[in-house]
Amino acid sequence: MIENEDPEKKGGVWALDQQLDQPMDEEAKKFSNMSEDKKCSSITVLQLAFQSLGVVYGDLGTSPLYVFYNTFPYGIDEPDDLLGALSVVIYSLTLIALVKYVLIVCRANDNGQGGTFALYSLLCRHAKIKTVPNQDQSDEELTTYSRSTFGEKSFAARTKRWLEGHALMQSTLLILVLIGSCMVIGDGILTPAISVLSAVGGINCCRFHTSNDIVVVVAVVILVILFIMQQFGTQKFGWLFAPIVLLWFLLIGGIGIFNIWKYDTSILRAFSPVYVIAFFRKGGTHGWASLGGIMLCINGTETLFADVSHFPVLSVQIAFTLVAFPCLLLAYSGQAAYLMKYPHHVFGAFYYSIPESIYWPVFSVATAAAIVASQATITATFSLIKQALALGCFPRVKVVYTSRSHHQIYIPDINWILMILCISVTAGFKNQSQIGNAAGTAVVVVMLVTTFLMILVMILVWRCHWTLVLIFACLTLVVEGTYFSAVLLKVNQGGWVPLVIAVAFFIVMYGWHYGTVIRFDIEMHSKVSMAWILGLGPSLGLVRVPGIGLVYSEIATGVPRIFSHFITNLPAIHSVVVFVCVKYLPVCTVPEEERFLVKRIGPNNFHMFRCVVRYGYKDDHKKDDDFEEKLFDNLFTFVRLESLMEGSPGSDVSSILNQQTIQSRDAMWNNNNNRSIPYSSADLSITSVDSIELADSPIYVSQPLTCSIPTSSQLVEIDEIEFLNRCRDAGVVHILGNTVVRTRRDSNCFKKMAVDYLYAFLRKICRGNSVLFNVPHESLLSVGQIFYV
C-alpha cells in the first residue's frame, strides 16, 4: 500500500496533478431556482397529527398492557409501593417521553429524518468525524447539506476541533452509534414479542382460563403473519392504523377514568413528586429492581423518533400532547386505582380492570393496536438498516420500496432474521416478565446513546450555551442512568437477550465498516497520477477502440488503480472514458437536479470525463433504473454547455440558457429545420457550467440551424456530440473493480479475523455493485486485484 507523502517532496508532477484534477467545487454551486420548503396549513397539520398516531405512537400506546406486571412480577406488598411506582411512571412519561423526545429530540431531525444514524449524519456535516473521508468541498454546496457556522473562539468551535483532532474520539463516537443502532434492532425483535404476547394474553386472564401454551401459539401465529405481510407493504390497509390507535387511546383513557372514579380517586395523589422521593427511599434493592419494569412505560420513544420522518414535527407534538400523553396518564392511574383494591390481579391488570360488558371489544382493539405497534417497530428497524447501509456500516442487502411514495421500505433478509429471532424469543421465554426485562435493557441503552449524541447536537448544531447543555445532560443522565443501573440487576433474568443480539449485529456492522475503510484507503493511496495518464498523449499509449468505457471507483479524484491495472494487461481502451464515482453523503437526500456532477479531464481530444453521482441515505437506487441513460444525458448536456461558454466567454450560464430557451421557442414555429440534435431547454436547470439537471425521461426537441454560418464552438459541439453518439452506438462497457483485501503475514490476529474471514465472508454473501447500478451482465467487465494490508 502506497503511503502518503509530504507535498513539498512530491515536486512538479504532484503540483501538475493537482491542477489537472481539482475537486468539482464549481460544478456543485447551489441551484438558484431551488424551491423553498413547503409549509403546511393548520388543517393539514391536524390531519397529519391524526395520521401520526398510527405510525408513531402505537408502540408507546400499548405499554399499559404489561408495565405493572413487569414492575411487580412477585406481587404488590404494600399500597404505598404501587402509589410510588405510579408516580415514577407519571414523571418518566413527562420528563423522557414529553420533554426529552417530543419537545427536544424530535427537533434534532436531519431534514425530517430521525433515528441514531440521522443524528450521526447531522454531526458529520458539522465536524469532520466521518471515518470514511469521501467528502470534499463540492459536497458542502448541496442544498440539503445544511450546517451551522460559529466563531473560532466559541465553545462549539473548541468542541469541533477537539473531535476532529482525536481519532480515538471519532472511533468512540462511531462505536456508540453502532451500539445504539444494534439495540434498536434488538428492540425491533423484542417489542413485537411482548406487545402481541401481552395483547393475546387477555384470553387467559379472567374470563376463561387456558394454558399459557395456547397463548404463545396464538402470539406466534400472529407474528408469523405480521412478518410475512411486510413484503406486501401497508398501502391497502395502512389507512386503518390511525383509527385503530386513536380508538385504543380513547378506550384506555376512558377505562382509566372509570376505574379512578369507581375504585380510588385518591390515586391522583401520585402526581405529586413527593411519592417519587418516597419510592426511592423505601424501595431498597427490590424496589430498585422494579424500575426495570417501570421504564417499559417509555418503551417506544426511540421508535417515535425513528418514525418522525413521515410527519412534520409539529404534528407529532400535537398528537402526543393532546391525545397520547393524557390518555396514557389516565390509563396507568386507572390500573393503579384498580390494583389498590385488587392487588392480587397484578398479572393481566389491564384486562382485569376492564368492565365485563366491553371486554371482548377491548380485547380485539388491543390485539389490533399491538399489531400496529409491532408494524411501526419493524418499519423503524428497516429504516435504520437502510441508513446504516448508505453510510457504509452494513453489508449491501436488497431494499424494496413497498409504497408509491417511497416512504416505506422492506428488506427481505432482515425481515426473515427478525421473524426467526422474534418467534424464538416468544416461544422460548413464554413469559412477559423475562421478555420485558430484555426489552427494558434495549430501550435504556438506546436512550443513553441518544442523550450523548444530543449533547453534541446541542453544541455543534444548535450552538446552545454550555449551561443549557449541562442542564439537559444532568437531568436526562440522572433519570436514564438510574434506569440503566436497574436493568443491570435483571441481566440474568432475560436482560442478556438484547446484549447477545446487539453483539452479533455489532460484529457484522463494525466488521463491514472496518473493511470498507481499509478498501477506501487502498483506493486513495494507490490511485494513479492524472499527470502521468495525460503524459501518455491523446491515445494514452494504447489502441483506442470504438465505444465508451465507464470506469467505476469510490474515489472522486485521480485515476483508480483498476484502470491502470486494466490497460497494463490489455493495452486497449475505449475512445471515450468516463470515470464514475458513486458515493453516499451524510445527508438524507440529494435532489435529482444536483445528483450528477460532470467535468472534463484533460484536453478535448483525450475524450476523458469524470462523473460524480451522489446519494443520500434516504435515496432509492431503484428510481435510477435508467442510470446509464441519465449519465449520458448529463454528459451530453455538459458538452453543449461547455461549448456555449467557450463561444460566449463573457456570459454566465443563466443568460446563455435564457438565450437558448428563446431560440428554441422561436424555432418551434420554424418548419425548415435541416438537422436535429438532442437538446431540451425546458428540462434543464443549472447554476454552473458543469452542474446539470435533466428530467427523468429525456425529451428530444428539434433544434434548427439558421442560415448563418455556425461558429467554431458550435461546430466543435456538434462534432463531439456526434462522436459521443457514435461511440455510444458502438457499445458501452461498465468496468467495475473487484478488489480483494488480504492481510500480510505479520498482521495481528484481530486484523486477520476481521479482514480475511469476517469481511471476506460478508462481501461474498452481499449484493454486488453491478446489481445496485442495474448493469447488464453482457456489458459488465470486472477487473480483479489483490491488495495486502
Side-chain angles (χ1 to χ4, degrees):
M1 185 165 55
I2 300 174
E3 301 294 336
N4 287 330
E5 299 179 14
D6 188 357
E8 296 181 357
K9 299 179 181 180
K10 295 179 180 178
V13 175
W14 181 85
L16 178 61
D17 189 48
Q18 296 302 304
Q19 294 177 0
L20 293 173
D21 195 22
Q22 294 178 357
M24 306 175 77
D25 299 341
E26 291 298 326
E27 291 79 359
K29 296 295 184 182
K30 291 186 178 180
F31 281 35
S32 57
N33 59 346
M34 288 298 295
S35 59
E36 296 181 356
D37 295 338
K38 296 181 179 179
K39 296 182 179 179
C40 300
S41 62
S42 300
I43 296 177
T44 303
V45 169
L46 293 177
Q47 290 175 343
L48 293 174
F50 165 71
Q51 296 176 12
S52 69
L53 290 171
V55 177
V56 178
Y57 294 113
D59 191 4
L60 192 64
T62 54
S63 56
L65 290 170
Y66 48 80
V67 166
F68 279 120
Y69 171 65
N70 284 275
T71 304
F72 303 104
Y74 306 108
I76 301 173
D77 297 331
E78 298 180 10
D80 288 344
D81 295 340
L82 178 62
L83 198 63
L86 175 61
S87 186
V88 176
V89 167
I90 292 171
Y91 283 96
S92 295
L93 282 171
T94 303
L95 293 176
I96 301 299
L98 177 61
V99 176
K100 178 187 173 182
Y101 276 92
V102 176
L103 298 182
I104 298 178
V105 175
C106 282
R107 292 183 60 246
N109 61 86
D110 181 18
N111 290 318
Q113 299 299 305
T116 307
F117 273 103
L119 291 177
Y120 181 64
S121 65
L122 195 62
L123 292 172
C124 287
R125 297 204 301 271
H126 289 79
K128 297 179 181 179
I129 57 176
K130 191 179 180 184
T131 52
V132 180
N134 63 341
Q135 298 172 233
D136 51 43
Q137 189 68 29
S138 62
D139 299 328
E140 299 178 7
E141 301 292 342
L142 282 170
T143 53
T144 54
Y145 201 98
S146 58
R147 61 176 184 172
S148 304
T149 57
F150 32 75
E152 289 295 325
K153 297 182 179 181
S154 63
F155 181 59
R158 293 196 300 269
T159 305
K160 178 176 179 290
R161 288 193 295 268
W162 177 67
L163 285 174
E164 293 177 348
H166 295 81
L168 178 61
M169 293 308 303
Q170 298 174 22
S171 300
T172 302
L173 185 62
L174 176 64
I175 292 174
L176 193 67
V177 171
L178 294 181
I179 291 174
S181 302
C182 294
M183 285 297 179
V184 172
I185 297 174
D187 189 41
I189 296 169
L190 297 168
T191 295
I194 190 172
S195 297
V196 173
L197 189 62
S198 300
V200 300
I203 62 177
N204 193 25
C205 277
C206 51
R207 297 305 179 256
F208 62 92
H209 293 279
T210 59
S211 66
N212 190 54
D213 291 339
I214 295 179
V215 175
V216 173
V217 170
V218 173
V220 168
V221 171
I222 293 176
L223 289 171
V224 170
I225 295 174
L226 175 64
F227 280 102
I228 291 177
M229 292 300 293
Q230 294 298 316
Q231 58 186 313
F232 304 107
T234 59
Q235 296 183 79
K236 296 182 179 179
F237 51 87
W239 61 273
L240 290 171
F241 290 174
I244 288 174
V245 176
L246 177 61
L247 179 60
W248 169 250
F249 276 121
L250 295 178
L251 280 175
I252 63 176
I255 294 172
I257 294 175
F258 174 79
N259 289 333
I260 294 172
W261 171 78
K262 182 177 180 180
Y263 296 109
D264 189 358
T265 56
S266 65
I267 199 68
L268 298 178
R269 294 175 297 166
F271 282 83
S272 171
V274 174
Y275 291 93
V276 176
I277 300 173
F279 175 83
F280 286 104
R281 284 182 176 178
K282 185 180 179 181
T285 305
H286 180 70
W288 199 266
S290 66
L291 286 172
I294 293 176
M295 73 153 302
L296 291 176
C297 70
I298 50 179
N299 182 23
T301 50
E302 192 62 33
T303 304
L304 178 158
F305 181 46
D307 289 331
V308 76
S309 60
H310 301 288
F311 307 96
V313 174
L314 181 59
S315 298
V316 174
Q317 293 173 337
I318 291 175
F320 185 81
T321 53
L322 297 184
V323 179
F325 184 61
C327 289
L328 286 172
L329 294 182
L330 290 172
Y332 287 115
S333 300
Q335 285 189 48
Y338 175 83
L339 291 174
M340 291 291 281
K341 187 172 183 179
Y342 302 101
H344 56 284
H345 284 169
V346 66
F347 174 75
F350 174 78
Y351 284 113
Y352 278 108
S353 64
I354 298 174
E356 187 173 356
S357 58
I358 61 171
Y359 182 84
W360 291 113
V362 173
F363 171 81
S364 302
V365 176
T367 305
I371 294 174
V372 173
S374 303
Q375 167 67 35
T377 306
I378 296 170
T379 302
T381 304
F382 290 158
S383 298
L384 182 140
I385 295 294
K386 174 69 167 58
Q387 295 175 4
L389 188 153
L391 295 176
C393 295
F394 203 87
R396 294 185 295 267
V397 292
K398 184 179 181 180
V399 179
V400 179
Y401 285 78
T402 57
S403 65
R404 295 178 180 177
S405 60
H406 291 264
H407 285 164
Q408 186 176 353
I409 62 175
Y410 164 68
I411 305 178
D413 299 333
I414 301 300
N415 184 68
W416 304 130
I417 292 174
L418 294 180
M419 185 185 75
I420 293 173
L421 293 177
C422 185
I423 292 174
S424 300
V425 169
T426 305
F429 282 131
K430 303 180 183 180
N431 189 312
Q432 294 182 26
S433 178
Q434 289 184 321
I435 300 177
N437 295 337
T441 303
V443 170
V444 71
V445 173
V446 175
M447 289 194 303
L448 283 170
V449 171
T450 302
T451 297
F452 289 125
L453 294 178
M454 275 301 303
I455 292 173
L456 293 176
V457 168
M458 294 178 71
I459 297 173
L460 297 177
V461 183
W462 293 351
R463 293 170 294 170
C464 296
H465 195 272
W466 66 270
T467 54
L468 294 178
V469 178
L470 184 62
I471 292 173
F472 171 82
C474 291
L475 288 178
T476 53
L477 289 178
V478 165
V479 176
E480 294 167 1
T482 302
Y483 278 132
F484 181 71
S485 64
V487 299
L488 289 178
L489 300 176
K490 296 192 174 184
V491 170
N492 61 338
Q493 302 174 28
W496 56 270
V497 174
L499 299 179
V500 172
I501 295 173
V503 168
F505 276 95
F506 179 82
I507 291 174
V508 171
M509 296 175 74
Y510 190 79
W512 178 262
H513 180 78
Y514 181 73
T516 301
V517 171
I518 290 179
R519 286 188 68 246
F520 183 81
D521 288 340
I522 290 174
E523 291 276 355
M524 287 296 295
H525 294 153
S526 63
K527 64 182 180 180
V528 181
S529 170
M530 186 64 67
W532 177 78
I533 291 291
L534 298 182
L536 299 176
S539 66
L540 301 180
L542 308 167
V543 178
R544 301 296 291 265
V545 298
I548 298 179
L550 302 180
V551 183
Y552 290 84
S553 172
E554 296 182 2
I555 58 176
T557 59
V559 177
R561 182 64 179 266
I562 62 168
F563 181 73
S564 63
H565 185 66
F566 173 75
I567 63 178
T568 300
N569 293 273
L570 183 63
I573 194 60
H574 301 85
S575 300
V576 178
V577 177
V578 182
F579 297 102
V580 182
C581 172
V582 179
K583 63 179 179 179
Y584 279 93
L585 301 177
V587 296
C588 66
T589 183
V590 175
E592 193 74 23
E593 61 271 13
E594 300 179 68
R595 180 153 297 161
F596 289 84
L597 297 179
V598 182
K599 69 176 293 184
R600 184 186 297 276
I601 299 177
N604 291 9
N605 57 350
F606 277 69
H607 301 296
M608 296 177 64
F609 303 88
R610 183 183 304 283
C611 180
V612 177
V613 190
R614 304 176 296 182
Y615 290 92
Y617 55 77
K618 186 184 175 183
D619 290 328
D620 175 22
H621 270 298
K622 287 296 182 182
K623 295 177 71 175
D624 283 345
D625 283 339
D626 52 349
F627 178 83
E628 181 182 313
E629 185 71 25
K630 289 183 178 181
L631 190 151
F632 284 121
D633 287 340
N634 283 267
L635 178 61
F636 291 159
T637 308
F638 164 77
V639 172
R640 297 189 197 97
L641 289 174
E642 185 183 45
S643 63
L644 289 173
M645 291 296 291
E646 291 176 356
S648 303
S651 303
D652 58 5
V653 176
S654 300
S655 62
I656 291 176
L657 288 176
N658 291 336
Q659 182 180 2
Q660 290 295 314
T661 303
I662 294 173
Q663 290 178 359
S664 62
R665 288 175 180 172
D666 294 340
M668 294 192 60
W669 301 96
N670 192 350
N671 295 324
N672 59 345
N673 51 335
N674 301 320
R675 185 187 184 108
S676 297
I677 62 173
Y679 178 76
S680 174
S681 60
D683 298 325
L684 187 61
S685 177
I686 248 187
T687 55
S688 71
V689 177
D690 304 327
S691 181
I692 59 180
E693 176 203 0
L694 288 175
D696 292 343
S697 299
I699 302 174
Y700 294 95
V701 181
S702 296
Q703 179 74 13
L705 296 176
T706 61
C707 297
S708 59
I709 299 176
T711 63
S712 59
S713 64
Q714 291 174 334
L715 290 174
V716 171
E717 171 200 344
I718 294 172
D719 290 343
E720 187 161 16
I721 291 293
E722 288 183 347
F723 177 76
L724 291 175
N725 276 320
R726 287 198 302 267
C727 291
R728 185 180 181 186
D729 293 338
V732 178
V733 176
H734 300 257
I735 304 173
L736 275 72
N738 183 20
T739 303
V740 177
V741 182
R742 294 179 181 173
T743 57
R744 296 191 181 97
R745 293 183 178 179
D746 56 347
S747 300
N748 57 58
C749 295
F750 171 78
K751 195 171 186 178
K752 286 182 178 292
M753 291 291 296
V755 176
D756 293 344
Y757 296 97
L758 177 60
Y759 182 69
F761 173 75
L762 293 175
R763 282 204 68 197
K764 186 176 181 179
I765 64 174
C766 75
R767 308 183 86 202
N769 286 329
S770 60
V771 179
L772 295 177
F773 304 141
N774 301 293
V775 176
H777 187 71
E778 61 274 10
S779 302
L780 175 64
L781 178 61
S782 181
V783 181
Q785 295 181 103
I786 298 178
F787 285 97
Y788 290 89
V789 295

